[in-house]
Amino acid sequence: MATYDPRTQKLLTFHDAVPRFLDGRDTPRAYLERCLDVIETREPEVQAFVVMNIDGARAAADEATRRYAEGRPLSNIDGMPIGIKDLFETKDMPTQMGSPVWAGWESGRDAAHVHGLRKAGAVVLGKLVTTELGFSFPGKTRNPFDPGRTPGGSSSGSAAAIGAGMVPAAIGSQVAGSVIRPAGYCGNVAIKPTYGALNRGGGHSSLSQSHIGIHAGSIEDAWATCWQIANLAGGDVGYPGLYGALEPMAPTKPTRLVRLETVLWPSVDDESKAAFETVIEHLKRQGVTIISRAEDADVETYEALTADALELTLQICLFELRWPLGAYRERGPGMLSESMLERLAEADKQTLDDYRAMLERRDQVRKAYAALKAKADGFIALSSPGPAPKGLHSTGSPAMNAATSMTGTPVWSLPLLAADGMPLGVQLGGFPHEDAKVTGHARWLMDSFLTQG
């Protein structure tokens, strides 16, 4: 098996095809057919899709082709093939959420963000594998760089489809680490925007940390997808949506970044640690000041407060999911996995006072992170404690992502590194509602590190 190299690996992109659509050298239908060719070749091994609507996708691509020929594309993602995580409703395909509870279920409507994507002309090609109800019990998907390893989760199919070059963009979602971690494992670019920036109406639940995120082959395509969703479907109810212009911010060097180790740093393997240090040294050579817990008390406070961020996140989620999980359990054996039943038994012991105490702890984390804004433009960390683990029984630990999911801050995963011959992602984050700013930083880091690092 070939060794992964982030400098030579080419992901499928869409934005650079648009000029060819406009002058007639290429068409969205031909682009879609190339995607279908890759899917036919890679899908038997990768198993990213649950269901596809190829006829519907071809019809949508033909409509986009006509619009480009007439010089009237609907948007900068008109004609872009996209996959949807199977937690979210689509009017033309079932939404089964990785669970027998929802086998064969069709709502007859699109989730809010899917509706926005169709209005922008995107070609909704299929539903992508999720873990059980978006939690940790794995689905069938394999890592596109090694079928003996996990793609991560819960956005398993979304990450694997991008890593395999099947589509240029895919919808994922994250409560703890379900966008950033699988993106790192599968060599994707991915963004988890500010909490509430993208409308998640039409999904399994309204968990208080659930974010919609975008997996893509480029920062430009991920940003375009976010922008179109936000401007056509808005953000979550009661939230102002995504801030920023149609075009992603130009590459911009950050001035100061917080280096976050997270609770898992001691367990990171030596090769992954050494790879991460090359990014830190590159930043320093470029004049970026790096602040860590060793020399800054506020960073140390945040790191210490977030040591149990993953377990706190899981406990908050379980209280919030006592309904509907309790209702599913009442339907009888086989509806929930053993691991989910064990977690639900934990949730049954929780009280309202327990939940209030957990929310207070989360508020402390958010305040500690907000205190860092006066000191830095954002943070940098590994996307995971190493490359994708071997075996398919687990999707890997999201503990390196849970804290910034709690804060609701925008985070990119960038495919900058390799370890053990596999992709290793780097997280680059900012502060809430500064998605555009951190996107400029992400573009600069991608360009500078992969050409100079």
Side-chain angles (χ1 to χ4, degrees):
M1 186 167 296
T3 298
Y4 173 85
D5 184 345
R7 288 178 171 78
T8 58
Q9 182 68 30
K10 301 298 182 186
L11 294 169
L12 182 63
T13 55
F14 184 80
H15 67 282
D16 47 354
V18 171
R20 299 194 297 274
F21 299 158
L22 290 167
D23 66 17
R25 290 176 292 154
D26 195 3
T27 67
R29 175 60 185 269
Y31 188 102
L32 172 64
E33 294 301 326
R34 295 194 293 272
C35 290
L36 291 172
D37 288 344
V38 174
I39 292 169
E40 183 177 8
T41 300
R42 298 297 314 273
E43 177 63 7
E45 179 179 75
V46 176
Q47 301 182 57
F49 283 90
V50 181
V51 63
M52 299 175 69
N53 182 2
I54 294 175
D55 289 343
R58 282 173 168 154
D62 286 343
E63 291 172 5
T65 295
R66 286 192 290 272
R67 289 191 291 269
Y68 279 104
E70 295 168 0
R72 53 177 189 88
L74 294 174
S75 76
N76 58 348
I77 63 168
D78 195 356
M80 182 180 75
I82 191 166
I84 308 298
K85 185 177 182 179
D86 197 30
L87 286 182
F88 301 105
E89 296 171 42
T90 46
K91 65 183 180 182
D92 52 355
M93 288 172 277
T95 301
Q96 302 177 93
M97 307 186 200
S99 169
V101 173
W102 294 97
W105 181 72
E106 297 189 47
S107 69
R109 68 175 187 176
D110 284 332
H113 62 276
V114 178
H115 179 69
L117 288 167
R118 291 196 207 265
K119 287 177 69 176
V123 175
V124 178
L125 178 54
K127 306 299 285 293
L128 295 159
V129 171
T130 178
T131 58
E132 179 191 21
L133 301 170
F135 267 65
S136 58
F137 191 74
K140 63 180 182 177
T141 308
R142 275 66 174 149
N143 191 292
F145 296 96
D146 181 349
R149 298 181 190 238
T150 181
S154 61
S155 303
S156 309
S158 302
I162 298 299
M166 295 176 177
V167 287
I171 299 297
S173 62
Q174 176 163 314
V175 173
S178 297
V179 170
I180 299 302
R181 178 173 90 268
Y185 287 167
C186 294
N188 300 177
V189 167
I191 181 173
K192 178 196 76 64
T194 295
Y195 181 79
L198 305 181
N199 193 329
R200 59 199 160 109
H204 165 60
S205 65
S206 55
L207 292 170
S208 64
Q209 284 182 208
S210 181
H211 307 62
I212 287 176
I214 311 298
H215 293 264
S218 68
I219 291 174
E220 292 82 359
D221 290 341
W223 179 260
T225 304
C226 285
W227 195 92
Q228 295 296 340
I229 290 171
N231 281 270
L232 293 170
D236 283 339
V237 174
Y239 289 83
L242 183 78
Y243 288 98
L246 172 63
E247 296 298 324
M249 186 171 285
T252 307
K253 184 175 71 174
T255 301
R256 297 164 66 86
L257 291 173
V258 171
R259 171 186 175 150
L260 292 180
E261 294 183 348
T262 81
V263 67
L264 286 186
W265 183 255
S267 67
V268 176
D269 64 274
D270 290 343
E271 185 181 4
S272 297
K273 284 182 176 178
F276 184 60
E277 294 302 334
T278 66
V279 179
I280 297 299
E281 291 307 310
H282 169 76
L283 290 166
K284 290 178 178 178
R285 288 196 304 271
Q286 298 298 314
V288 180
T289 300
I290 302 297
I291 309 166
S292 70
R293 66 191 308 173
E295 65 265 5
D296 190 280
D298 288 335
V299 175
E300 172 58 31
T301 295
Y302 177 75
E303 293 265 35
L305 276 173
T306 57
D308 66 343
L310 178 57
E311 186 58 28
L312 179 58
T313 292
L314 292 174
Q315 292 300 323
I316 289 172
C317 289
L318 287 171
F319 186 89
E320 295 170 348
L321 280 174
R322 291 196 297 181
W323 181 93
L325 293 183
Y328 301 159
R329 181 176 56 189
E330 291 171 4
R331 292 178 57 179
M335 292 294 103
L336 298 174
S337 67
E338 287 301 317
S339 60
M340 188 72 83
L341 287 170
E342 290 171 4
R343 282 292 188 177
L344 183 54
E346 294 179 42
D348 289 337
K349 301 173 185 177
Q350 293 176 328
T351 67
L352 182 57
D353 284 342
D354 292 332
Y355 183 60
R356 288 168 175 162
M358 289 187 286
L359 295 184
E360 288 176 4
R361 282 276 292 111
R362 186 169 70 182
D363 285 343
Q364 290 176 354
V365 170
R366 291 174 174 175
K367 289 175 183 176
Y369 186 73
L372 302 179
K373 187 173 181 179
K375 302 186 174 191
D377 296 307
F379 76 89
I380 190 161
L382 284 173
S383 295
S384 61
K390 295 178 180 179
L392 302 172
H393 60 284
S394 167
T395 61
S397 174
M400 281 187 145
N401 321 120
T404 51
S405 289
M406 295 181 77
T407 60
T409 194
V411 181
W412 284 93
S413 182
L414 304 176
L416 299 181
L417 302 173
D420 196 23
M422 294 289 290
L424 180 66
V426 171
Q427 295 183 82
L428 186 67
F431 292 91
H433 303 300
E434 293 187 351
D435 303 67
K437 178 180 176 180
V438 73
T439 298
H441 295 160
R443 295 184 75 190
W444 174 83
L445 182 55
M446 281 278 286
D447 292 347
S448 67
F449 183 78
L450 292 179
T451 58
Q452 303 172 34

